[in-house]
Amino acid sequence: MKKRLSMLLAAALMLSLALTGCGNGRDAGTTSDAPETNSTAPVQSQAAEPTGGFEAGATIGVSLPWLGTQNWKEADEMFKTQLEAAGFNVIVQAADNKVPQQQQQIEAMIQNGAKVIVVGPIDGSQLGAVLEEAKAAGIYVIGYDRLLENTTGVDGVVQFGSIKTGELQAQALLDGLKEKKGDGPYNIELFGGGPADPNAPNFFTGAMSVLQPKIDDGTLVVVSGQTDFTQCATIDWDNSKAQARMDSLLSGFYSDKEVHGVLSPNDGIARAIITASEQAGQEIPVVSGLDAENESVEWVWSGRQYSTVAKPTDVLVGKTVEIIKSLQAGNGMPAADVSVNNGKIDVPVYELPPVVVTKDNAKEAFANDPGRLELLK
Amino acid sequence: MKQIKQVLGGELRKYTMVIALVALILIFHIASGGKMITPSNFQNLLSGNAYVLILAIGMLMVIVIGQIDLSVGSVSGFCGMVMALTATNLNWPWWAAVLCGLGIGVLIGAWQGFWVAKLGIPGFITTLGGMMIFRGGVIWISKSISVPAPAELKWFGAGYLPEWGPSFTGMNNSTLLLGIIAIAALAFMQLRKHKRTSELKGGNEPLWPVVTRIILGAVVIGYLTWLFGSGRPGTSFPIPGLILVILVIIYHTITQRTRFGRHIYAVGGNKSAAALSGVNVKKTYFLTMLNMSFLAALAGIMFVGRSTAAGPSDGNGWELDAIASVYIGGAAVSGGVGTIMATMVGGMVMAVLNSGLMLMGVGADKTQVIKGLVLLAAVAFDVYNKQPGHVSITKRLFSTKDSAAKEGSPAAKES
């Protein structure tokens, strides 16, 4: 039996030797997509590739991470309606927060002959090979809402400035503390988003750039002492994990203290924090948020959650659709606002400004959003 | 009908799932407007599912000995992360990092095997513990931040064989060579088997079923070779697929032709009887658990290669995909029954379902529902067929009077 096994092994070995033999076979336009070349090509050469555009009814693929939060559900619907209205054939799929599933969905979009693939990644750094495959097939890849890292297969990214978002969240927290909790020092806690999402550390960095000076001068006291992003992060943006962390912070550090404010990276986590505080018998702290989810808009309106930051999905989708139309017309990628190195190349990034929403400005902020305006009653 | 039976080798029940698989592929090909059976989609099917199929090889052996391993996803994630960290943060060369990842996999396997074999803790509990330990471990060592993998690894996770030689073949010559080797191996093995049986039976065995079988096999392999080889220049039969095929051959040989393989089935069929007949049950448990974690490490590393980065949630839920493949492939929950080949077919059924539904633009929600139903249907079908007194559907299709009488006995079983 061993003999047969060794024969098989020998055959496999011989085969691999034979395969390394030289020659070049078929004339390959792109023999390999050469991901090793640590390309530092300037942004312009990417953005200004000669393009002939493509037919008006072409297929556009949109791969979203999941439909578990309102902003993604909205993106799902808006992409469908806006791209269909523009005459494209649209495939929108969501991957249930599983990376292998998203990889396969993108491959299926390549199979379906998509001309542009819009990717809202689950983990921005884990789609490298698949996106390079798309690129090799001559497809435009646009990152949506999150940076696509560690790959050469990306043409541009549309997102809200994530450092800016963090700064706004922190500033809203400071304003809220002054308004609601009298004079300092204030006891606060910090929460971060899902570490796999490249935006999450940026939100935190942006927020800390505002908060750190106040922590240093003693206006703010982080009672638990947990100020590292890794200590504060919420894996997968999972609300229940954030609630569990808040529960243990409250029972561990706040049995004889009041928590005045909490930095929260999004609305779901904000509500989890508020719920945990209420259950622990605390007065509701000033909590920041993000995404303007319906539930949180109501909470802001009723005063339970101090603020949220709206990243209007319609603006983000609108910008993406605008880029797709420009590509279709053969005008290439429009000029970007900034370029960000993603670990392999410099990626053009289209940054959109987010909007802080508190009870005071909610009516103006949602003036163009009948659905949310309805909630302010 | 009798002739068909002779060509297929008598055991028609083995082919039920293969027929289902082919039917699925054809249905999706039509339903998706011709996007299923294309070179690039078949390449994707293998590259995108090799990691689950590799896990399923190990899982089949674990299930055959009557255990289960719930930790494979976490172990895959952990070993992939160790590999990425040693390569990126410690600046080890990529091959050393890979060896380190595999080594950690073997160590983890020895740890699990120790609890199962030496202390007699049920595999379910040992590996439930392992699932938590190593998931926590991944998050711990990575500080829950994705780590980029060395660029060379992409070859293992999503690479292709080289292009070489003459271009008049119109396809990737590496793939062509593989196809030719496969056909030659098939012919060689069939002829040798025929020679042996005819020696045993006194030289009366007819040659024509063997020849037909070789021709049929050659046509199928030839078609697949063409399919894989005629994609976009630069693509071929994918590397992860090749690794999978080599592993399948090795493990098929181990389970079907070696003493260790027979011990696995003996222990799973009846532990006490196996122990009484001199099988070292503890050793069998230990080696099987060890092997599972080794394969999990390999799968994890290949996945990282394909993803170009190791993430903290890599491997979440993979154990369930692997277990589903094994059961769809007809393994028994009670242990002792199941083959590698059938498991691969089971895994491909899941993969084709996934791919086909995605090509048709069906969402992840409905895909999950459909996969769940298929799992239930496949196992129910198998259970129904195994009940004495029922005649299986394929058998009914192909049955002739004499063979129905011979095979209708409940003792007839595969593997």
Side-chain angles (χ1 to χ4, degrees):
Chain A
M1 297 312 118
K2 271 189 184 142
K3 204 159 127 203
R4 199 167 305 158
L5 201 65
S6 58
M7 258 172 61
L8 281 167
L9 282 172
L13 204 69
M14 266 164 52
L15 182 66
S16 57
L17 279 177
L19 294 181
T20 50
C22 46
N24 38 8
R26 291 179 296 173
D27 242 349
T30 48
T31 329
S32 78
D33 27 5
E36 297 85 1
T37 51
N38 220 331
S39 156
T40 44
V43 184
Q44 292 89 325
S45 78
Q46 280 252 327
E49 262 170 29
T51 52
F54 45 86
E55 67 273 24
T59 301
I60 309 291
V62 180
S63 170
L64 303 176
W66 67 326
L67 301 179
T69 54
Q70 193 181 346
N71 57 331
W72 291 115
K73 188 70 203 153
E74 285 172 352
D76 176 65
E77 281 159 15
M78 287 175 182
F79 269 119
K80 270 181 200 148
T81 48
Q82 295 199 18
L83 286 171
E84 264 164 23
F88 293 111
N89 173 27
V90 195
I91 313 169
V92 185
Q93 289 191 313
D96 204 19
N97 250 343
K98 294 199 180 91
V99 177
Q101 191 150 354
Q102 186 163 40
Q103 293 172 343
Q104 290 172 16
Q105 281 181 350
I106 293 171
E107 281 175 345
M109 287 169 187
I110 301 172
Q111 289 300 304
N112 273 316
K115 294 290 180 198
V116 181
I117 299 182
V118 178
V119 183
I122 296 161
D123 182 331
S125 61
Q126 288 198 289
L127 297 170
V130 180
L131 294 181
E132 279 155 25
E133 203 179 301
K135 201 88 192 76
I139 298 168
Y140 290 99
V141 178
I142 302 175
Y144 174 86
D145 197 42
R146 298 173 181 175
L147 187 61
L148 297 170
E149 294 176 296
N150 199 24
T151 178
T152 55
V154 50
D155 294 287
V157 174
V158 186
Q159 63 178 15
F160 285 97
S162 47
I163 301 269
K164 183 75 191 158
T165 305
E167 289 169 10
L168 290 174
Q169 287 175 329
Q171 194 54 51
L173 178 65
L174 288 178
D175 294 347
L177 285 170
K178 203 168 282 173
E179 185 188 322
K180 301 263 178 181
K181 303 286 178 182
D183 289 330
Y186 310 106
N187 298 328
I188 63 160
E189 287 301 330
L190 310 172
F191 278 71
D197 175 353
N199 281 337
N202 287 341
F203 291 155
F204 198 78
T205 310
M208 286 311 277
S209 71
V210 176
L211 297 179
Q212 193 64 49
K214 299 285 178 188
I215 294 174
D216 292 340
D217 73 13
T219 317
L220 299 175
V221 182
V222 181
V223 177
S224 67
Q226 298 179 2
T227 54
D228 273 351
F229 175 69
T230 48
Q231 290 174 308
C232 304
T234 308
I235 289 169
D236 293 338
W237 295 94
D238 186 337
N239 301 343
S240 64
K241 289 192 177 112
Q243 189 160 350
R245 173 160 179 261
M246 191 63 195
D247 283 340
S248 57
L249 286 175
L250 286 170
S251 64
F253 297 97
Y254 290 91
S255 48
D256 55 351
K257 287 195 192 79
E258 191 193 340
V259 56
H260 297 112
V262 181
L263 174 75
S264 161
N266 81 352
D267 280 346
I269 293 174
R271 294 196 300 274
I273 290 167
I274 292 169
T275 309
S277 307
E278 281 178 334
Q279 282 169 358
Q282 291 267 357
E283 201 177 311
I284 296 178
V286 174
V287 180
S288 62
L290 176 67
D291 291 341
E293 293 185 3
N294 286 352
E295 186 76 9
S296 279
V297 170
E298 284 179 11
W299 285 31
V300 167
W301 190 244
S302 67
R304 290 177 81 191
Q305 182 178 334
Y306 178 73
S307 71
T308 183
V309 174
K311 298 196 299 179
T313 308
D314 55 332
V315 178
L316 200 58
V317 172
K319 181 74 191 173
T320 314
V321 172
E322 187 191 313
I323 294 173
I324 295 172
K325 282 180 183 162
S326 155
L327 290 172
Q328 187 268 321
N331 298 333
M333 301 287 289
D337 302 315
V338 284
S339 90
V340 176
N341 190 289
N342 76 347
K344 288 261 175 80
I345 56 168
D346 288 327
V347 184
V349 175
Y350 306 86
E351 285 204 330
L352 302 169
V355 187
V356 177
V357 183
T358 61
K359 192 174 177 178
D360 298 335
N361 74 344
K363 291 246 174 185
E364 301 102 81
F366 298 131
N368 296 328
D369 188 342
R372 287 198 172 82
L373 214 48
E374 187 75 4
L375 302 168
L376 307 178
K377 291 218 169 119
Chain B
M1 282 301 149
K2 196 177 172 191
Q3 279 85 341
I4 297 176
K5 269 196 63 149
Q6 249 172 318
V7 170
L8 293 179
E11 292 172 71
L12 288 168
R13 254 169 39 75
K14 280 206 297 199
Y15 293 94
T16 327
M17 261 305 144
V18 179
I19 293 166
L21 178 63
V22 173
L24 262 183
I25 292 175
L26 291 176
I27 290 168
F28 276 125
H29 188 67
I30 295 162
S32 66
K35 288 173 193 134
M36 186 79 211
I37 310 178
T38 63
S40 49
N41 195 47
F42 267 58
Q43 287 162 356
N44 290 344
L45 269 178
L46 277 185
S47 302
N49 295 287
Y51 72 94
V52 174
L53 294 172
I54 288 176
L55 290 177
I57 293 175
M59 191 61 82
L60 179 265
M61 293 164 74
V62 171
I63 284 176
V64 164
I65 61 167
Q67 299 284 5
I68 194 106
D69 192 334
L70 300 175
S71 71
V72 291
S74 299
V75 173
S76 290
F78 187 78
C79 295
M81 185 56 82
V82 166
M83 189 276 300
L85 281 174
T86 48
T88 309
N89 291 2
L90 304 182
N91 288 321
W92 290 20
W94 67 269
W95 52 268
V98 168
L99 287 180
C100 175
L102 293 176
I104 296 282
V106 171
L107 284 181
I108 292 173
W111 158 267
Q112 316 249 48
F114 167 76
W115 291 92
V116 173
K118 295 286 177 220
L119 299 187
I121 313 285
F124 189 94
I125 296 166
T126 305
T127 58
L128 186 61
M131 179 167 112
M132 300 181 205
I133 293 169
F134 299 110
R135 175 59 53 205
V138 186
I139 298 171
W140 192 345
I141 60 174
S142 68
K143 303 192 179 69
S144 38
I145 291 168
S146 303
V147 181
E152 291 87 349
L153 268 178
K154 196 183 147 196
W155 192 74
F156 289 99
Y160 295 107
L161 297 166
E163 299 268 0
W164 52 273
S167 57
F168 65 83
T169 51
M171 54 198 275
N172 177 283
N173 287 325
S174 305
T175 312
L176 182 62
L177 180 68
L178 277 182
I180 292 169
I181 293 176
I183 291 172
L186 174 80
F188 173 71
M189 287 194 301
Q190 288 295 341
L191 287 173
R192 193 179 56 176
K193 191 173 160 200
H194 174 259
K195 201 175 139 205
R196 283 192 190 164
T197 40
S198 49
E199 271 167 12
L200 277 175
K201 292 194 177 177
N204 293 332
E205 198 71 357
L207 190 64
W208 70 265
V210 177
V211 174
T212 326
R213 214 179 296 159
I214 292 173
I215 292 171
L216 274 179
V219 167
V220 171
I221 295 171
Y223 177 69
L224 286 176
T225 307
W226 176 79
L227 198 55
F228 279 109
S230 62
R232 184 167 55 83
T235 64
S236 71
F237 192 77
I239 302 288
L242 186 61
I243 297 176
L244 176 70
V245 168
I246 293 173
L247 285 176
V248 166
I249 293 171
I250 293 174
Y251 280 93
H252 177 76
T253 316
I254 290 177
T255 51
Q256 302 301 317
R257 303 281 162 82
T258 67
R259 192 193 294 164
F260 176 63
R262 281 191 294 276
H263 286 181
I264 290 177
Y265 287 101
V267 168
N270 187 335
K271 194 176 145 189
S272 324
L276 287 173
S277 33
V279 174
N280 188 338
V281 175
K282 284 184 174 180
K283 189 177 154 200
T284 312
Y285 276 177
F286 183 82
L287 287 177
T288 310
M289 298 307 287
L290 182 127
N291 175 60
M292 176 76 256
S293 292
F294 167 72
L295 288 177
L298 182 62
I301 289 169
M302 282 169 62
F303 177 76
V304 170
R306 178 171 151 87
S307 304
T308 57
S313 56
D314 280 5
N316 256 351
W318 291 4
E319 56 278 345
L320 300 179
D321 287 337
I323 292 170
S325 305
V326 173
Y327 286 138
I328 291 179
V333 180
S334 52
V337 174
T339 62
I340 302 260
M341 290 302 179
T343 299
M344 291 301 104
V345 175
M348 285 313 289
V349 167
M350 291 294 245
V352 166
L353 266 177
N354 247 342
S355 159
L357 291 169
M358 276 176 198
L359 285 173
M360 290 170 65
V362 177
D365 40 4
K366 286 169 206 150
T367 307
Q368 290 277 73
V369 173
I370 294 170
K371 277 161 73 181
L373 290 173
V374 167
L375 172 66
L376 270 180
V379 176
F381 180 74
D382 210 48
V383 168
Y384 173 85
N385 274 348
K386 276 181 190 147
Q387 277 167 1
H390 289 305
V391 180
S392 84
I393 292 171
T394 32
K395 210 178 285 170
R396 205 172 286 165
L397 276 175
F398 292 103
S399 70
T400 50
K401 275 171 199 161
D402 57 338
S403 66
K406 197 167 67 193
E407 288 187 27
S409 64
K413 60 170 186 176
E414 83 270 51
S415 79

